[in-house]
Amino acid sequence: MDRTVTFQMYIKVNEVKLFFTKSGQGNPIILLHGNGEDHTIFDVLTEQLSKEYTVYAIDSRDHGKSSRVKNLDYQSMMEDIAAFIQKLNIQNPILYGFSDGGILGILLAIKYPDMLSKLIISGANTHPNGIKTIYTILLKIAYFFTRNRKFKLMLTQPNITEEDLNKIITPILVLAGSKDVVKDEHTRMIAKNIKNSVLQVIKGEGHTSYVVHSKKLYDIINPFLTS
């Protein structure tokens, strides 16, 4: 069976180098991973999507093979993705963001309302208090011992308001597992405050179980992609 050719490349945006892969042909779709991960979590999804789409899977700044930075903030990470889209002249891509990638997708849709044709987020939060208490405690302990800037990022950001969410006009699919690290009421608040949103809570799934190296995700998002 023929396999889709995948190209591996770097692009310089906002004084950092982003590593990304490009595969397939068709309408563009961008994949953004979560905190502490890289594009390889989407290996299965990329192979599935590349039969119908041009798939860009990006390593965020300070992740994977992309440039290391001293400080991390979601706003700068989002601006990297906006610059990536503009520099490569990608016309109205679909964006799928998991966890931190979903936060970047929300921020992008707020600031650049005409940039994306569709947005899919899963396991995203708009404020640190959207994460369940037990996981916040574990994060604080981990940060105390490691001073890891990625842990600090999750403990202090984002700070997206309901008013910000009201500005989003991009059609959006809001996903979460029923056993997610993000509070159920928080996920529902996000969907409620975005006009063109569809909410889907996936029974029995956790934060990563249906996403990372998973065959399940394609079937979950495909109806929204083709609607």
Side-chain angles (χ1 to χ4, degrees):
M1 184 175 68
D2 292 339
R3 284 186 171 270
T4 303
V5 176
T6 299
F7 298 95
Q8 301 186 5
M9 290 171 273
Y10 285 91
I11 185 171
K12 189 169 184 179
V13 296
N14 302 328
E15 304 305 316
V16 297
K17 281 187 176 179
L18 296 184
F19 177 84
F20 70 100
T21 64
K22 179 182 178 183
S23 54
Q25 289 185 327
N27 292 332
I29 183 166
I30 294 170
L31 306 180
L32 299 179
H33 59 78
N35 190 294
E37 302 164 340
D38 61 34
H39 74 282
T40 61
I41 68 165
F42 298 124
D43 51 358
V44 176
L45 181 63
T46 296
E47 187 174 340
Q48 292 168 312
L49 287 172
S50 61
K51 295 171 184 175
E52 304 164 79
Y53 299 90
T54 301
V55 183
Y56 299 88
I58 306 172
D59 286 350
S60 296
R61 60 166 61 194
D62 213 58
H63 290 74
K65 296 179 181 179
S66 292
S67 296
R68 295 295 175 260
V69 296
K70 289 184 179 179
N71 297 299
L72 270 178
D73 67 273
Y74 289 123
Q75 200 68 33
S76 297
M77 294 166 76
M78 176 276 288
E79 293 292 359
D80 290 346
I81 305 307
F84 176 92
I85 293 168
Q86 292 165 341
K87 197 164 186 178
L88 292 179
N89 195 29
I90 303 172
Q91 297 298 313
N92 300 119
I94 300 164
L95 189 145
Y96 168 71
F98 167 61
S99 198
D100 276 23
I103 294 169
L104 303 186
I106 291 170
L107 289 170
L108 193 70
I110 292 167
K111 184 168 181 182
Y112 300 95
D114 299 321
M115 185 168 278
L116 304 176
S117 59
K118 290 181 180 180
L119 174 61
I120 304 168
I121 63 171
S122 59
N125 59 298
T126 58
H127 192 276
N129 66 14
I131 298 174
K132 291 176 180 175
T133 304
I134 182 62
Y135 296 104
T136 300
I137 292 169
L138 292 172
L139 267 175
K140 286 180 178 178
I141 294 169
Y143 179 65
F144 178 81
F145 286 107
T146 66
R147 289 297 187 251
N148 186 307
R149 55 184 171 267
K150 295 183 178 72
F151 296 153
K152 182 181 179 181
L153 180 67
M154 289 190 284
L155 288 168
T156 58
Q157 298 181 40
N159 293 288
I160 301 167
T161 66
E162 292 185 9
E163 185 180 359
D164 292 329
L165 294 175
N166 292 162
K167 298 174 184 175
I168 296 176
I169 59 173
T170 307
I172 178 171
L173 173 61
V174 180
L175 300 174
S178 63
K179 301 176 181 178
D180 213 295
V181 302
V182 178
K183 298 172 183 174
D184 180 71
E185 62 267 28
H186 190 80
T187 301
R188 294 181 184 278
M189 179 278 296
I190 293 171
K192 181 181 178 181
N193 282 282
I194 299 175
K195 301 176 187 71
N196 298 315
S197 69
V198 177
L199 172 65
Q200 187 174 350
V201 178
I202 306 150
K203 188 176 180 180
E205 300 291 349
H207 188 58
T208 64
S209 59
Y210 64 100
V211 178
V212 178
H213 309 302
S214 176
K215 293 181 179 179
K216 299 175 183 178
L217 186 56
Y218 176 82
D219 288 335
I220 293 168
I221 67 174
N222 191 51
F224 181 76
L225 292 175
T226 56
S227 65

